[in-house]
Amino acid sequence: MTVREAPVELPAVLPTAGAPFGLYLHVPFCVTRCGYCDFNTYTPAELGGVNPDAWLSALRTELELAAARLHGPTVNTVFVGGGTPSLLGGARLATLLDMVRDHFPLAPDAEITTEANPESTWPEFFAAIRAAGYTRVSLGMQSSAPRVLATLDRVHSPGRAVTAAGEALAEGFEHVSLDLIYGTPGESDDDLLRSVAAAVESGVDHVSAYALVVEEGTALARRVRRGELAAPDDDVLAQRYELADALLTQAGFDWYEVSNWSRPGGQCRHNLGYWDGGQWWGAGPGAHGHVGTTRWWNVKHPNTYAEMLTAAALPVAGYERLDADALHTEEVLLGIRLRQGLPLQRLNAAERQRAEGAVADGLLTSEGDRLVLTDRGRLLADGVVRTLLG
């Protein structure tokens, strides 16, 4: 059953002149729902009447309305996420990028990324999206251990992600990322080490590694609650992070955000825009946008999303105006996670004093006029933020 969501009128928003601007495009389709996932995604059985072409038509309308609202700023990064964008196939993803070009000017060096699941990619797919103008692919690998993939309800074979990465590289992609999850119940240190080693040996220039989070409302949470699986252990998660970091560093990857490592030049510029307090329009069901001091989010269900856009209304479910305190909190929360660190001048006197304590405790280090997390600090990044903000 579709939950009806009432539209909300988005106030006037204009990007800051000269600041980088991005587009996030949300693809809500998945073949199956992974047990750990709480993203805004839908399987065919859950959707009923909405198909990819109807969603694509609605998205075209949202981009048209967005461009009129924003007066067509130059777009520096485009990120197609999901869900499973690769389910659209190469032709639809090419059409999607053409739709962006129809409504927004792209910077000559624009980074254009799509996420992809290994089981819905093949060489011809990578060739088609590379020819269309995509510059980056992010593949969900999670693990190379069969038992870990089974616990996560992933359907691809253990070696498929590495094979897919090789296919993308062979078709001319210079920037390919593999995403890992560590801390899955039943995972061993060796499982993680083999997964990281496989990612490194694949030749990609970017690896993300995220600790498993048991999100409420997911199948995984229900299994943990019933006692079928053990909840992730914080000490084990910290140990696994250190193992991954050591192996990636040894292989020539540098961390540039707490959960992201890259070879030189392999950083994801779109995600850096989020962490640097950048601006973007989020298009698609459930997508979030942030321009100026306004953040908003779209209605979640694809049926409602399409209905609103058929009526030429932006599918906004809600918005908030961020005051100076909220913007400062986000700047500290996100900026401290970056290898480039947080400028000391952005902190007030009380926060600087607390930062001195964190430095004395070995959680932060001063690099010029910036505060940077130490290796130990990365394990306790959320706690460091709480300390700074008091």
Side-chain angles (χ1 to χ4, degrees):
M1 181 179 68
T2 301
V3 177
R4 298 296 174 187
E5 300 168 276
V8 171
E9 182 65 27
L10 182 68
V13 292
L14 280 177
T16 303
F21 185 82
L23 288 176
Y24 173 76
L25 311 176
H26 187 71
V27 180
F29 309 114
C30 281
V31 172
T32 61
R33 183 177 299 281
C34 297
Y36 63 92
C37 180
D38 72 336
F39 293 165
N40 188 46
T41 62
Y42 302 83
T43 64
E46 295 170 329
L47 274 182
V50 173
N51 60 54
D53 291 319
W55 163 83
L56 201 60
S57 177
L59 189 72
R60 183 191 298 274
T61 301
E62 184 179 1
L63 290 174
E64 180 181 357
L65 294 174
R69 280 287 189 112
L70 299 171
H71 306 297
T74 297
V75 172
N76 303 97
T77 63
V78 179
F79 196 102
V80 184
T84 311
S86 47
L87 285 178
L88 297 177
R92 285 196 186 98
L93 282 174
T95 297
L96 181 58
L97 189 50
D98 285 340
M99 286 163 40
V100 170
R101 293 190 182 103
D102 286 344
H103 296 100
F104 291 89
L106 287 178
D109 64 342
E111 175 193 85
I112 303 168
T113 306
T114 185
E115 293 181 333
N117 274 0
E119 71 276 10
S120 55
T121 62
W122 55 95
E124 292 79 8
F125 167 83
F126 292 118
I129 63 172
R130 185 70 189 95
Y134 287 82
T135 66
R136 186 182 191 95
V137 175
S138 179
L139 288 157
M141 176 179 175
Q142 280 66 52
S143 177
S144 64
R147 60 181 171 180
V148 174
L149 293 175
T151 300
L152 295 175
D153 295 324
R154 297 292 291 182
V155 299
H156 63 81
S157 62
R160 176 57 202 159
V162 168
T163 300
E167 292 169 352
L169 292 167
E171 294 299 336
F173 279 94
E174 294 181 13
H175 303 300
V176 180
S177 177
L178 287 170
D179 293 350
L180 299 172
I181 290 177
Y182 60 90
T184 300
E187 178 192 62
S188 67
D189 287 353
D190 284 344
D191 288 334
L192 176 64
L193 288 172
R194 282 194 290 269
S195 298
V196 175
V200 168
E201 292 165 6
S202 72
V204 301
D205 67 346
H206 190 284
V207 174
S208 300
Y210 302 103
L212 178 67
V213 177
V214 180
E215 301 285 2
E216 280 302 316
T218 62
L220 180 63
R222 292 190 289 272
R223 294 184 68 187
V224 170
R225 190 162 49 248
R226 292 194 297 263
E228 297 174 13
L229 296 172
D233 179 89
D234 288 344
D235 290 337
V236 172
L237 292 176
Q239 179 188 5
R240 298 273 161 77
Y241 180 89
E242 290 175 328
L243 289 173
D245 179 58
L247 189 52
L248 288 165
T249 301
Q250 183 181 5
F253 288 76
D254 292 320
W255 76 279
Y256 70 97
E257 191 274 340
V258 168
S259 298
N260 290 270
W261 294 256
S262 74
R263 300 187 193 274
Q267 298 177 346
C268 179
R269 287 164 47 203
H270 185 85
N271 286 341
L272 277 172
Y274 295 151
W275 301 319
D276 276 337
Q279 304 176 98
W280 70 94
W281 186 284
H288 287 229
H290 181 196
V291 174
T293 60
T294 302
R295 176 174 293 127
W296 69 94
W297 48 95
N298 282 349
V299 296
K300 287 188 172 183
H301 201 283
N303 289 343
T304 309
Y305 172 81
E307 289 170 3
M308 290 182 183
L309 285 161
T310 298
L314 281 174
V316 175
Y319 71 90
E320 59 182 342
R321 295 282 200 180
L322 303 176
D323 61 18
D325 288 342
L327 289 169
H328 177 68
T329 296
E330 290 206 350
E331 181 178 34
V332 174
L333 175 69
L334 298 174
I336 203 67
R337 295 178 62 88
L338 294 173
R339 176 63 183 84
Q340 68 192 33
L342 182 69
L344 189 60
Q345 65 185 14
R346 303 293 176 85
L347 301 181
N348 61 38
E351 290 166 345
R352 292 187 188 190
Q353 186 172 10
R354 290 191 287 268
E356 291 177 2
V359 170
D361 290 338
L363 300 173
L364 290 172
T365 184
S366 295
E367 296 186 5
D369 62 347
R370 291 176 175 267
L371 294 169
V372 178
L373 290 169
T374 62
D375 290 347
R376 179 167 169 264
R378 278 191 278 160
L379 298 174
L380 302 168
D382 292 341
V384 173
V385 170
R386 289 192 294 270
T387 296
L388 292 177
L389 294 174

